[in-house]
Amino acid sequence: EVQLVESGGGLVKPGGSLRVSCAGSGFTFSTYSMFWLRQAPGKGLEWVSRISPDGDYLHYADSVKGRFTISRDNAKNSLYLEMNSLRVDDTAVYYCGRDWFGEFYWGQGTLVTVSS
Amino acid sequence: EIVMTQTPLSSPVTLGQSASISCRSSQSLVHSDGNTFLSWLHQRPGQPPRLLIYKISNRFSGVPDRFSGSGAGTDFTLKINRVEAEDVGVYYCMQAAEFPWTFGQGTKVEIK
């Protein structure tokens, strides 16, 4: 069974940093592009970032470029999102997903709250 | 960035009847590889979104055949036949043809 389990969410002050992680299982992690989406409370969906299977190609939304870094460790079947200079409007549930040529699957999400 | 526009934003439907949601993109979603990366997602209250349809008309694993997608280029439609109570929630279209990936505003489907 395919599983993506996010972790690492929590409360952080504006300007602070946080790293969220995603553990994949039930599939060959190293062959999939992976991505992060987010959803602010009561709002719609926003794509955040995507990484190629080997980690060579990275893409970011303008809203997080220069502040967030996506990475992966294929040996550990894990995806990461390092978030720096966090702002109140980064508050959201962050979903980790896998991409197989447009066929997407994602996890249950982890809540990141940025508040003083 | 590609702007995705859904209509209607709210859709009250009667159980057993059909519902249709339109999605229009500000530019073609045909990728350089020939695929059209238009997906439909469904989100129930308090739940993560789930994929219903990918590449215009392909149903994701486990999705009932009551759900169907159609369209081409910049105009796409999700149709739900014989609406059931479990179909309530918000439906989003999403494009992954070009970065940044973008979503429609969402269409709220509720039972009359």
Side-chain angles (χ1 to χ4, degrees):
Chain A
E1 180 195 0
V2 173
Q3 282 202 315
L4 291 169
V5 180
E6 301 90 341
S7 61
L11 176 64
V12 61
K13 287 182 167 48
S17 299
L18 196 66
R19 186 175 87 156
V20 290
S21 303
C22 171
S25 61
F27 64 102
T28 307
F29 186 86
S30 61
T31 62
Y32 285 79
S33 291
M34 301 293 293
F35 61 88
W36 290 97
L37 302 178
R38 68 182 180 181
Q39 187 170 35
K43 301 296 184 184
L45 296 163
E46 181 185 16
W47 171 79
V48 174
S49 184
R50 179 183 180 268
I51 185 169
S52 59
D54 56 9
D56 283 352
Y57 294 95
L58 312 179
H59 296 89
Y60 296 95
D62 284 347
S63 58
V64 306
K65 203 173 291 183
R67 300 187 300 122
F68 289 13
T69 302
I70 190 172
S71 63
R72 64 191 297 162
D73 184 336
N74 286 340
K76 294 183 178 178
N77 291 341
S78 292
L79 176 72
Y80 307 102
L81 186 67
E82 184 78 37
M83 301 182 288
N84 298 315
S85 303
L86 281 161
R87 309 189 297 225
V88 171
D89 62 0
D90 292 318
T91 295
V93 175
Y94 284 74
Y95 297 103
C96 146
R98 72 171 196 181
D99 171 19
W100 184 255
F101 301 101
E103 190 175 343
F104 306 116
Y105 183 90
W106 44 82
Q108 297 291 308
T110 187
L111 176 63
V112 173
T113 303
V114 185
S115 174
S116 54
Chain B
E1 75 177 40
I2 297 176
V3 177
M4 306 296 285
T5 304
Q6 287 182 231
T7 54
L9 298 185
S10 178
S11 180
V13 297
T14 302
L15 288 173
Q17 296 300 303
S18 295
S20 186
I21 302 169
S22 294
C23 177
R24 176 167 289 179
S25 58
S26 59
Q27 62 193 72
S28 173
L29 300 185
V30 180
H31 191 266
S32 55
D33 68 2
N35 286 301
T36 300
F37 292 106
L38 184 282
S39 303
W40 290 97
L41 321 178
H42 175 218
Q43 186 171 34
R44 296 188 182 104
Q47 297 287 319
R50 64 168 185 141
L51 181 67
L52 295 175
I53 303 285
Y54 63 99
K55 289 194 284 188
I56 302 178
S57 59
N58 296 274
R59 271 186 301 275
F60 188 59
S61 175
V63 174
D65 60 8
R66 302 184 291 103
F67 293 90
S68 62
S70 62
T74 61
D75 286 283
F76 306 93
T77 301
L78 174 71
K79 188 169 183 184
I80 313 170
N81 287 319
R82 305 180 305 280
V83 168
E84 299 183 3
E86 65 179 17
D87 298 337
V88 298
V90 181
Y91 290 79
Y92 297 94
C93 60
M94 167 193 171
Q95 71 79 20
E98 180 181 293
F99 294 107
W101 297 354
T102 48
F103 297 84
Q105 318 95 300
T107 296
K108 188 172 185 178
V109 172
E110 54 192 5
I111 304 299
K112 282 182 186 174

